[in-house]
Amino acid sequence: MTGRSEPPDGAPENPAGGEDEYRSLVFDESFVRAARMQEFSAQERMGEHARAVRALPEAHVSVRGGGSRAAIALVVLIALAFAVAVYIGFRSPYPQPATRRAEPLRTTVVPLAPRGAVPGGSPERLYRAEPVSTFRTGAAGINYPAVERTQNFSDSQITAALATAKDYLVESSLNPDVLTGSVRRPVEHLLDPDQRPQFEQSLSRPADDGSGAATGWLVRFDPEQVELADPRIRVHGTLRYEEEAPGILGVVSDHTFTYALRPADGPHRDDDASLFTVRRELHFRFDREDLRLHRLEVRTAHVQAGPQSCSADATGMLRPLLAGERADARGPAATDPYATGRPTAALCGALEAVSSPTAPTTTSPSPPQGPEAGRTSRPRP
């Protein structure tokens, strides 16, 4: 018996036979192994409570598991690289310079005693005398030298140091509120932070110990004793600079300030003013941080001021002798070389002459008295 050569419904649409629309799907062996589930055979499905499919062991799932481990390794590698970058950023490969602390200020304050009565007159008349008549007024008397770069400091850095030194001189010698002791902040904010505690202690508890004189930091008068007869203070002096060490710039100021003063109480006359002269030689130091922050370190201060009595305590405030007054005859306090404890030097200079509108004179300190005077208060060039 022979069957029909064609299906009852006719020949298939694909005369080639065997291939259909699913021919592009190839279920090769690797595809089958990668499957997560596998169908049970017909015999396995005949069992009681048999499941149609079973899950393959994890060992067969190789493609996705390998991808997860690679992602984890990549995350760990990125985290490690970030940690190394942060460590290198905080740990500079270059050696950092040691932090330099500002040294305490060393001060010498020498009162200048007049040989006779202090001349008086009007401020205009007194200022016409020599040598004060050649002095300039206020900050105009504080001039910069010619600036030329050093080995480690540029022109602009040197100019910045000179500008800061000038600001300090203006605030500590010409500011009327500082002169009367009512404010101190304009001077303090220009100081290196390391020196501010010493500055505060000197103004609060002045001492004649070579580092605790308030008048080493600034010019200050007792407002209950004197006042300015003319706010136009006369100034004359010089500024100079030098590179003292790599990274350290030194500036030395040597200026004479002449004030017209009169008594603070009672009625005032036109001729009750007198001149008071303060010569300040200050040594400033700057590092690069000071230049950047517009501040300075005052290394030493040598001050000569008069007319005053030799016995006057000028550590906290200057004690001017006014028109018609004379210095007391006691002279400087005695110094006992056999005494124990902190040694003190009795320093005092003689005011050779006070400027007079009728006779041109100069003001200069004579050799001071006291066992240590020759070392600390010699006339400065």
Side-chain angles (χ1 to χ4, degrees), residues 85-107:
V86 171
Y87 175 78
I88 294 176
F90 282 101
R91 180 185 173 89
S92 174
Y94 303 103
Q96 298 296 325
T99 303
R100 188 186 69 87
R101 294 187 59 84
E103 300 179 25
L105 169 66
R106 300 195 307 268
T107 61

mmCIF file of all heavy atoms in Angstrom, residues 85-107:
data_model
loop_
_atom_site.group_PDB
_atom_site.id
_atom_site.type_symbol
_atom_site.label_atom_id
_atom_site.label_comp_id
_atom_site.label_asym_id
_atom_site.label_seq_id
_atom_site.Cartn_x
_atom_site.Cartn_y
_atom_site.Cartn_z
ATOM 1 N N ALA A 85 45.337 59.040 44.981
ATOM 2 C CA ALA A 85 45.386 60.444 44.563
ATOM 3 C C ALA A 85 45.200 61.387 45.747
ATOM 4 O O ALA A 85 45.877 62.414 45.871
ATOM 5 C CB ALA A 85 44.318 60.699 43.497
ATOM 6 N N VAL A 86 44.268 61.055 46.636
ATOM 7 C CA VAL A 86 44.054 61.892 47.832
ATOM 8 C C VAL A 86 45.279 61.885 48.718
ATOM 9 O O VAL A 86 45.715 62.914 49.249
ATOM 10 C CB VAL A 86 42.809 61.405 48.592
ATOM 11 C CG1 VAL A 86 42.689 62.108 49.937
ATOM 12 C CG2 VAL A 86 41.560 61.648 47.758
ATOM 13 N N TYR A 87 45.896 60.740 48.906
ATOM 14 C CA TYR A 87 47.096 60.636 49.754
ATOM 15 C C TYR A 87 48.230 61.487 49.198
ATOM 16 O O TYR A 87 48.899 62.225 49.926
ATOM 17 C CB TYR A 87 47.510 59.181 49.861
ATOM 18 C CG TYR A 87 48.804 58.962 50.616
ATOM 19 C CD1 TYR A 87 48.828 59.006 52.002
ATOM 20 C CD2 TYR A 87 50.001 58.716 49.939
ATOM 21 C CE1 TYR A 87 50.002 58.808 52.700
ATOM 22 C CE2 TYR A 87 51.183 58.520 50.625
ATOM 23 C CZ TYR A 87 51.172 58.557 52.003
ATOM 24 O OH TYR A 87 52.334 58.378 52.694
ATOM 25 N N ILE A 88 48.447 61.404 47.891
ATOM 26 C CA ILE A 88 49.524 62.189 47.279
ATOM 27 C C ILE A 88 49.214 63.676 47.360
ATOM 28 O O ILE A 88 50.104 64.510 47.553
ATOM 29 C CB ILE A 88 49.737 61.749 45.818
ATOM 30 C CG1 ILE A 88 50.262 60.308 45.772
ATOM 31 C CG2 ILE A 88 50.683 62.688 45.090
ATOM 32 C CD1 ILE A 88 50.411 59.753 44.372
ATOM 33 N N GLY A 89 47.927 64.025 47.251
ATOM 34 C CA GLY A 89 47.570 65.440 47.335
ATOM 35 C C GLY A 89 47.863 66.045 48.689
ATOM 36 O O GLY A 89 48.303 67.185 48.794
ATOM 37 N N PHE A 90 47.592 65.282 49.759
ATOM 38 C CA PHE A 90 47.853 65.800 51.101
ATOM 39 C C PHE A 90 49.308 65.670 51.514
ATOM 40 O O PHE A 90 49.789 66.400 52.368
ATOM 41 C CB PHE A 90 46.966 65.087 52.129
ATOM 42 C CG PHE A 90 45.556 65.580 52.152
ATOM 43 C CD1 PHE A 90 44.562 64.859 51.513
ATOM 44 C CD2 PHE A 90 45.217 66.751 52.782
ATOM 45 C CE1 PHE A 90 43.258 65.305 51.518
ATOM 46 C CE2 PHE A 90 43.925 67.208 52.789
ATOM 47 C CZ PHE A 90 42.928 66.488 52.158
ATOM 48 N N ARG A 91 50.015 64.780 50.925
ATOM 49 C CA ARG A 91 51.428 64.587 51.261
ATOM 50 C C ARG A 91 52.262 65.117 50.111
ATOM 51 O O ARG A 91 52.480 64.435 49.120
ATOM 52 C CB ARG A 91 51.718 63.097 51.493
ATOM 53 C CG ARG A 91 53.171 62.798 51.849
ATOM 54 C CD ARG A 91 53.384 61.291 51.934
ATOM 55 N NE ARG A 91 54.776 60.960 52.111
ATOM 56 C CZ ARG A 91 55.388 60.844 53.271
ATOM 57 N NH1 ARG A 91 54.702 61.038 54.371
ATOM 58 N NH2 ARG A 91 56.667 60.533 53.339
ATOM 59 N N SER A 92 52.715 66.377 50.269
ATOM 60 C CA SER A 92 53.485 66.995 49.198
ATOM 61 C C SER A 92 54.833 66.308 49.057
ATOM 62 O O SER A 92 55.495 66.008 50.055
ATOM 63 C CB SER A 92 53.704 68.491 49.492
ATOM 64 O OG SER A 92 54.563 69.049 48.530
ATOM 65 N N PRO A 93 55.265 66.053 47.834
ATOM 66 C CA PRO A 93 56.586 65.421 47.658
ATOM 67 C C PRO A 93 57.730 66.371 47.943
ATOM 68 O O PRO A 93 58.869 65.948 48.024
ATOM 69 C CB PRO A 93 56.570 65.002 46.181
ATOM 70 C CG PRO A 93 55.631 65.956 45.528
ATOM 71 C CD PRO A 93 54.573 66.257 46.562
ATOM 72 N N TYR A 94 57.442 67.686 48.104
ATOM 73 C CA TYR A 94 58.494 68.663 48.354
ATOM 74 C C TYR A 94 58.562 68.970 49.843
ATOM 75 O O TYR A 94 57.540 69.093 50.524
ATOM 76 C CB TYR A 94 58.224 69.949 47.578
ATOM 77 C CG TYR A 94 58.097 69.712 46.093
ATOM 78 C CD1 TYR A 94 56.844 69.692 45.488
ATOM 79 C CD2 TYR A 94 59.212 69.494 45.294
ATOM 80 C CE1 TYR A 94 56.716 69.453 44.123
ATOM 81 C CE2 TYR A 94 59.103 69.260 43.941
ATOM 82 C CZ TYR A 94 57.853 69.244 43.354
ATOM 83 O OH TYR A 94 57.722 69.019 42.019
ATOM 84 N N PRO A 95 59.754 69.141 50.409
ATOM 85 C CA PRO A 95 59.868 69.439 51.836
ATOM 86 C C PRO A 95 59.291 70.814 52.152
ATOM 87 O O PRO A 95 59.509 71.779 51.427
ATOM 88 C CB PRO A 95 61.389 69.399 52.082
ATOM 89 C CG PRO A 95 61.999 69.646 50.734
ATOM 90 C CD PRO A 95 61.065 69.055 49.733
ATOM 91 N N GLN A 96 58.504 70.898 53.225
ATOM 92 C CA GLN A 96 57.905 72.149 53.647
ATOM 93 C C GLN A 96 58.873 72.911 54.544
ATOM 94 O O GLN A 96 59.524 72.329 55.419
ATOM 95 C CB GLN A 96 56.601 71.888 54.412
ATOM 96 C CG GLN A 96 55.537 71.200 53.572
ATOM 97 C CD GLN A 96 55.077 72.066 52.416
ATOM 98 O OE1 GLN A 96 54.996 73.287 52.537
ATOM 99 N NE2 GLN A 96 54.795 71.449 51.283
ATOM 100 N N PRO A 97 58.995 74.245 54.357
ATOM 101 C CA PRO A 97 59.892 75.014 55.219
ATOM 102 C C PRO A 97 59.388 75.044 56.655
ATOM 103 O O PRO A 97 58.186 75.012 56.905
ATOM 104 C CB PRO A 97 59.848 76.424 54.586
ATOM 105 C CG PRO A 97 58.550 76.468 53.844
ATOM 106 C CD PRO A 97 58.317 75.059 53.354
ATOM 107 N N ALA A 98 60.323 75.078 57.571
ATOM 108 C CA ALA A 98 59.954 75.136 58.983
ATOM 109 C C ALA A 98 59.251 76.453 59.295
ATOM 110 O O ALA A 98 59.609 77.510 58.780
ATOM 111 C CB ALA A 98 61.200 74.989 59.853
ATOM 112 N N THR A 99 58.233 76.394 60.142
ATOM 113 C CA THR A 99 57.482 77.590 60.519
ATOM 114 C C THR A 99 58.359 78.494 61.384
ATOM 115 O O THR A 99 58.926 78.057 62.381
ATOM 116 C CB THR A 99 56.212 77.196 61.284
ATOM 117 O OG1 THR A 99 55.431 76.320 60.462
ATOM 118 C CG2 THR A 99 55.405 78.427 61.637
ATOM 119 N N ARG A 100 58.455 79.758 60.992
ATOM 120 C CA ARG A 100 59.275 80.708 61.738
ATOM 121 C C ARG A 100 58.389 81.526 62.661
ATOM 122 O O ARG A 100 57.399 82.109 62.237
ATOM 123 C CB ARG A 100 60.007 81.644 60.765
ATOM 124 C CG ARG A 100 61.045 82.547 61.443
ATOM 125 C CD ARG A 100 61.609 83.545 60.451
ATOM 126 N NE ARG A 100 60.628 84.530 60.069
ATOM 127 C CZ ARG A 100 60.403 85.670 60.747
ATOM 128 N NH1 ARG A 100 61.099 85.932 61.835
ATOM 129 N NH2 ARG A 100 59.492 86.512 60.341
ATOM 130 N N ARG A 101 58.735 81.561 63.918
ATOM 131 C CA ARG A 101 57.975 82.348 64.888
ATOM 132 C C ARG A 101 58.663 83.687 65.102
ATOM 133 O O ARG A 101 59.888 83.782 65.130
ATOM 134 C CB ARG A 101 57.860 81.599 66.221
ATOM 135 C CG ARG A 101 57.034 80.323 66.137
ATOM 136 C CD ARG A 101 56.810 79.738 67.516
ATOM 137 N NE ARG A 101 56.123 80.679 68.400
ATOM 138 C CZ ARG A 101 54.802 80.824 68.440
ATOM 139 N NH1 ARG A 101 54.033 80.103 67.641
ATOM 140 N NH2 ARG A 101 54.245 81.678 69.272
ATOM 141 N N ALA A 102 57.840 84.728 65.248
ATOM 142 C CA ALA A 102 58.370 86.060 65.489
ATOM 143 C C ALA A 102 59.016 86.129 66.869
ATOM 144 O O ALA A 102 58.516 85.555 67.843
ATOM 145 C CB ALA A 102 57.256 87.093 65.383
ATOM 146 N N GLU A 103 60.134 86.826 66.966
ATOM 147 C CA GLU A 103 60.836 86.966 68.233
ATOM 148 C C GLU A 103 60.259 88.142 69.026
ATOM 149 O O GLU A 103 59.665 89.055 68.454
ATOM 150 C CB GLU A 103 62.328 87.184 67.971
ATOM 151 C CG GLU A 103 62.989 86.048 67.207
ATOM 152 C CD GLU A 103 64.461 86.319 66.951
ATOM 153 O OE1 GLU A 103 65.065 87.094 67.726
ATOM 154 O OE2 GLU A 103 65.003 85.769 65.980
ATOM 155 N N PRO A 104 60.434 88.155 70.345
ATOM 156 C CA PRO A 104 59.932 89.274 71.149
ATOM 157 C C PRO A 104 60.658 90.575 70.802
ATOM 158 O O PRO A 104 61.830 90.581 70.417
ATOM 159 C CB PRO A 104 60.228 88.841 72.588
ATOM 160 C CG PRO A 104 60.410 87.362 72.524
ATOM 161 C CD PRO A 104 60.991 87.067 71.172
ATOM 162 N N LEU A 105 59.933 91.671 70.939
ATOM 163 C CA LEU A 105 60.509 92.996 70.711
ATOM 164 C C LEU A 105 61.462 93.357 71.845
ATOM 165 O O LEU A 105 61.169 93.148 73.025
ATOM 166 C CB LEU A 105 59.395 94.038 70.621
ATOM 167 C CG LEU A 105 59.832 95.507 70.641
ATOM 168 C CD1 LEU A 105 60.643 95.862 69.396
ATOM 169 C CD2 LEU A 105 58.621 96.422 70.771
ATOM 170 N N ARG A 106 62.625 93.900 71.482
ATOM 171 C CA ARG A 106 63.562 94.442 72.466
ATOM 172 C C ARG A 106 63.518 95.966 72.381
ATOM 173 O O ARG A 106 63.638 96.539 71.289
ATOM 174 C CB ARG A 106 64.982 93.941 72.206
ATOM 175 C CG ARG A 106 65.120 92.427 72.259
ATOM 176 C CD ARG A 106 66.600 92.021 72.374
ATOM 177 N NE ARG A 106 67.404 92.638 71.329
ATOM 178 C CZ ARG A 106 67.652 92.072 70.154
ATOM 179 N NH1 ARG A 106 67.133 90.901 69.852
ATOM 180 N NH2 ARG A 106 68.420 92.683 69.258
ATOM 181 N N THR A 107 63.345 96.632 73.514
ATOM 182 C CA THR A 107 63.144 98.075 73.524
ATOM 183 C C THR A 107 64.184 98.784 74.393
ATOM 184 O O THR A 107 64.664 98.239 75.395
ATOM 185 C CB THR A 107 61.745 98.436 74.063
ATOM 186 O OG1 THR A 107 61.617 97.961 75.419
ATOM 187 C CG2 THR A 107 60.655 97.797 73.222
#
